[in-house]
Amino acid sequence: MASATVASPAAPPPPHEVAAAPPMPDIMPPVKARRGVLGFLWRYPTIAIGGALLLLMVFVAVFADFLWTVDPTALAPARRTREPSAQYWFGTDMLGRDVYSRVIYGARVSLIVGFAVALLSSAVGLLIGLVSGFVRWADGIIMRVMDGMMSIPPILLAIALMALTRGSVRNVIISITIAEIPRVSRLVRGVVLSLREQPYVEAAIAAGTRTPVIIWRHILPNTIAPITVQATYICASAMIIEAILSFIGAGTPPIIPSWGNIMAEGRALWQVKPYIVFFPAVFLSVTVLAVNLLGDGLRDALDPRMAKRI
Amino acid sequence: MNAPVSDANRPLLEVSGLKKHFPLRGGFLGGVTGYVYAVDGVSFHINRGETLSLVGESGCGKSTVGKAILKLFDITDGQVVLDGRRIDNLPAGALRPMRRRVQVVFQDPFSSLNPRMRVRDILAEPIRNFGLARSRAELEERIAALMDKVRLPRDAVNRWPHEFSGGQRQRIGIARALAAEPELIICDEAVSALDVSVKAQIINLLQDLQQELGLALLFISHDLAIVEHMTHRVAVMYLGKIVEVAPKRQLFAAPRHPYTEALLSAVPVPMPGAQRERIILKGDVPSPINPPKGCRFHTRCPYAFDRCRAEEPPLRQTEAGHWAACHLHDLPAEQNPLAGAKGAAVLAV
């Protein structure tokens, strides 16, 4: 609405005197139907739903100790493969461990891996992408290396990297981060290259702004939105890769419950005791869905072209 | 090098033999497979307080000339001399103080302002870079004065670019250019994206500022109607070359290059019933990757003869201050369709 009344020449300036521009009452505060956080969530329901589900998962992971759980590693051979019941909500596995407790504690691994990989690969990818976008001679070399890494499926690359080390959550994070870095680097490089051609960057160069300041003031703030969106997708993808690594025994060590290794242990009994695989799978799916919904919502909200429909 | 002493008789900006060939990359490690001859030997000058318009179809290299003067990239060949001092080969550090004297206003009022900076910060950037304000208060004062100059309300400095209309954004762009206290502003299609009424306001603003501050303008445009309204001299570009330079009246009255003649015939005449002989050029502009041999215009020129296909015409003076690159002027006057005041007759509807 604010732009509908744009510059209608209230009184056209006399042809060639000192052109006192017409008064401009058309600078109006943007009209918003609803303001504040609630209004924002109303306009982007995917963010609200995805965010709520993700917050729930974070809550579960943080307060796992207080959510009627028992020691997830406690063995009880006498009570193995029990069906879900009032005592064992999700049943017990073939070593008699409480599947509910294991799934709840497993959320910690998934979320830590997801968030850590998203943060680390975004940070490293941002740095590589900036260098690649600004240093002409480095660009060719860096991008060919990234192409090489991208030609290997991230899961295979992560498996190969895990094979070099011993299974631990830290090593899982490092392996998946390395596998995800090329995607962020490519994205940032693309954004940097297109931003460099923006007239406002050229105007800043003409205005004598030094390159580091241009990067800091004109390039970085405009890369944050696409990187944030990409980070959510990487977070989701990292959780899945972690589960796959753990499932095939190349990830989180069996001593730490993670959704991947719970499913791996239940796999042999899948035909007769499907609940051992079912519950961690549901949690994994819901968490990944939540992160992806959040990412979609953020993409819509942060894309400046979409932002115009205030 | 010359000391940068201002000399009123010397042109403010001299561009000679400017070439910019963009490499076309391809292959495994981005090897060069060819060149886009965007600007291929362009020379002109701009005097203090003068407006020179650079006109031509899109893709003819006129914007590249503007960016080359701003040194947004390294040029392939030629010289850019600002106030007696060569600037095209200066290292970044030595160039920075010279940048203050040449500023730019771009075409697109939306992408020419950083969406994540308030107007105040946009205007403060050049002032801070060039150390034009000694204190916070002086900075604020200068910003307020700039808003006055471009006739925007002072309190709008706290707003974001997206809160303004296209014309208002273009005023902010002009204010940013003025913030550096330049002697030359390059207006790269500065009004092409605006509505007609807003266009007129911005042009009048530019003209007022030019008189007030003694600015020189390089007005890059494809719109001859606007150029006729506001320029002193016109340079016509075709495929990376200047084909004709002349004072406005001479060029509009009696063009000395067939391309200019064709361009002028395409300008609508704002008078009902007025008739004009329309020259329709055949074909499209050839690719700047593989420009025609000889005269670059010969593929579309209605008067082309054998010599045009073989030999490239240099820019030569046809009368005082009027330069054209055309072999027709070597022919006897009675065989030269561009001799005399034919163009004037065409335009005097």
Side-chain angles (χ1 to χ4, degrees):
Chain A
M1 190 213 152
S3 58
T5 54
V6 158
S8 51
H16 221 294
E17 293 166 31
V18 178
M24 267 166 288
D26 47 337
I27 305 174
M28 279 193 277
V31 181
K32 280 182 189 159
R34 287 160 192 260
R35 290 170 175 280
V37 178
L38 275 180
F40 179 82
L41 293 178
W42 179 256
R43 268 178 287 135
Y44 300 103
T46 48
I47 294 185
I49 297 167
L53 280 174
L54 192 63
L55 273 180
L56 182 71
M57 283 299 164
V58 170
F59 175 84
V60 163
V62 169
F63 296 103
D65 292 343
F66 310 103
L67 293 171
W68 308 279
T69 53
V70 297
D71 179 0
T73 56
L75 306 180
R79 295 193 299 266
R80 56 186 195 268
T81 63
R82 295 280 170 88
E83 301 280 328
S85 64
Q87 192 189 355
Y88 304 108
W89 292 352
F90 296 173
T92 61
D93 66 9
M94 70 262 222
L95 297 174
R97 294 172 297 192
D98 179 30
V99 175
Y100 170 73
S101 302
R102 291 179 69 72
V103 168
I104 295 298
Y105 278 97
R108 290 185 170 177
V109 173
S110 272
L111 291 174
I112 287 172
V113 170
F115 291 159
V117 169
L119 267 178
L120 287 175
S121 59
S122 297
V124 179
L126 178 65
L127 202 69
I128 294 176
L130 282 176
V131 170
S132 193
F134 266 93
V135 186
R136 202 99 190 92
W137 61 266
D139 184 37
I141 303 167
I142 292 176
M143 278 306 122
R144 292 305 80 75
V145 172
M146 293 299 151
D147 284 348
M149 286 172 72
M150 287 219 279
S151 69
I152 308 168
I155 292 168
L156 273 187
L157 190 57
I159 292 172
L161 290 168
M162 284 307 293
L164 298 175
T165 56
R166 128 195 118 64
S168 75
V169 174
R170 197 194 67 181
N171 287 344
V172 168
I173 290 172
I174 293 172
S175 303
I176 303 176
T177 300
I178 292 173
E180 295 284 0
I181 281 173
R183 276 161 67 179
V184 191
S185 306
R186 279 232 157 238
L187 174 86
V188 174
R189 171 180 176 270
V191 172
V192 168
L193 288 183
S194 73
L195 288 177
R196 278 186 66 171
E197 304 281 309
Q198 288 291 311
Y200 64 80
V201 173
E202 294 186 328
I205 297 171
T209 309
R210 285 158 210 273
T211 307
V213 181
I214 286 188
I215 294 174
W216 178 252
R217 193 182 287 162
H218 297 283
I219 306 279
L220 264 186
N222 291 296
T223 59
I224 298 301
I227 288 182
T228 308
V229 174
Q230 181 76 9
T232 58
Y233 295 131
I234 285 178
C235 178
S237 144
M239 288 181 193
I240 291 178
I241 294 178
E242 186 279 328
I244 293 171
L245 286 177
S246 301
F247 187 80
I248 63 172
T252 315
I255 186 79
I256 306 168
S258 91
W259 294 334
N261 63 27
I262 300 169
M263 283 190 270
E265 284 155 14
R267 185 175 55 109
L269 299 173
W270 160 248
Q271 302 271 332
V272 282
K273 308 283 180 193
Y275 55 86
I276 305 179
V277 174
F278 177 75
F279 288 107
V282 166
F283 271 68
L284 177 65
S285 305
V286 168
T287 311
V288 169
L289 177 71
V291 175
N292 278 331
L293 282 177
L294 188 65
D296 281 350
L298 284 176
R299 191 197 54 213
D300 292 350
L302 295 177
D303 189 327
R305 275 162 302 179
M306 306 288 279
K308 277 191 190 136
R309 45 150 220 209
I310 299 170
Chain B
M1 290 301 291
N2 306 345
V5 182
S6 295
D7 176 351
N9 297 322
R10 181 166 61 198
L12 177 62
L13 179 84
E14 282 178 278
V15 174
S16 47
L18 177 70
K19 290 186 183 175
K20 177 62 190 178
H21 302 165
F22 290 103
L24 288 169
R25 291 181 187 279
F28 178 61
L29 275 172
V32 176
T33 55
Y35 289 95
V36 178
Y37 298 94
V39 177
D40 207 14
V42 157
S43 305
F44 62 87
H45 69 272
I46 302 176
N47 295 317
R48 284 166 202 289
E50 182 192 40
T51 304
L52 174 71
S53 290
L54 203 52
V55 302
E57 286 165 276
S58 51
C60 72
K62 50 194 196 300
S63 288
T64 309
V65 170
K67 289 181 179 181
I69 296 168
L70 292 164
K71 217 198 172 198
L72 294 178
F73 40 63
D74 289 328
I75 61 176
T76 311
D77 195 20
Q79 284 193 10
V80 180
V81 176
L82 179 67
D83 200 12
R85 184 157 180 213
R86 190 168 167 192
I87 57 169
D88 60 273
N89 57 358
L90 287 180
L95 179 66
R96 198 161 288 120
M98 302 298 279
R99 285 197 184 280
R100 184 191 64 74
R101 307 173 69 176
V102 185
Q103 289 296 306
V104 61
V105 178
F106 286 106
Q107 170 176 17
D108 180 5
F110 292 89
S111 60
S112 61
L113 304 176
N114 186 340
R116 298 189 190 270
M117 281 170 80
R118 288 177 192 274
V119 173
R120 175 198 310 282
D121 299 317
I122 290 172
L123 298 184
E125 187 167 19
I127 300 176
R128 286 209 184 96
N129 286 343
F130 298 121
L132 297 174
R134 257 166 268 109
S135 64
R136 176 97 206 152
E138 196 184 336
L139 179 72
E140 288 297 327
E141 214 170 277
R142 275 180 179 262
I143 291 172
L146 287 168
M147 296 299 275
D148 292 348
K149 273 204 185 99
V150 297
R151 282 123 205 173
L152 285 173
R154 285 185 175 199
D155 56 359
V157 294
N158 291 320
R159 294 182 181 276
W160 299 97
H162 70 258
E163 297 176 52
F164 295 88
S165 69
Q168 292 165 342
R169 282 161 155 258
Q170 208 59 324
R171 286 170 193 266
I172 298 169
I174 293 169
R176 172 179 58 193
L178 293 175
E181 301 188 335
E183 290 147 64
L184 169 67
I185 295 185
I186 295 173
C187 301
D188 190 350
E189 301 270 15
V191 296
S192 308
L194 305 175
D195 292 344
V196 176
S197 60
V198 182
K199 204 178 267 195
Q201 290 173 17
I202 296 292
I203 285 181
N204 289 341
L205 175 67
L206 281 171
Q207 284 187 315
D208 295 342
L209 290 171
Q210 179 171 41
Q211 281 177 6
E212 210 177 307
L213 307 169
L215 287 170
L217 297 178
L218 175 61
F219 195 80
I220 298 170
S221 179
H222 61 264
D223 188 342
L224 281 168
I226 283 174
V227 163
E228 185 176 13
H229 178 68
M230 71 170 299
T231 196
H232 298 112
R233 286 189 304 134
V234 185
V236 181
M237 271 188 87
Y238 183 79
L239 260 188
K241 296 251 183 201
I242 288 184
V243 295
E244 183 166 6
V245 192
K248 173 179 70 180
R249 274 179 218 292
Q250 281 186 36
L251 185 119
F252 277 84
R256 297 297 186 216
H257 194 282
Y259 180 61
T260 315
E261 191 187 31
L263 278 186
L264 289 178
S265 81
V267 178
V269 185
M271 188 186 293
Q275 287 290 319
R276 179 154 55 183
E277 190 187 340
R278 180 87 161 80
I279 303 168
I280 309 282
L281 291 178
K282 51 191 186 232
D284 287 326
V285 187
S287 160
I289 297 169
N290 189 13
K293 299 270 177 296
C295 175
R296 296 192 167 197
F297 188 55
H298 83 250
T299 53
R300 304 172 75 196
C301 181
Y303 311 117
F305 55 105
D306 288 344
R307 192 182 168 195
C308 304
R309 286 178 262 279
E311 191 188 328
E312 185 156 2
L315 201 58
R316 283 173 316 171
Q317 197 153 11
T318 58
E319 56 238 79
H322 196 144
W323 299 67
C326 185
H327 288 315
L328 288 174
H329 300 300
D330 284 347
L331 299 174
E334 64 274 12
Q335 289 174 33
N336 180 358
L338 295 175
K342 179 200 164 204
V346 172
L347 268 180
V349 264

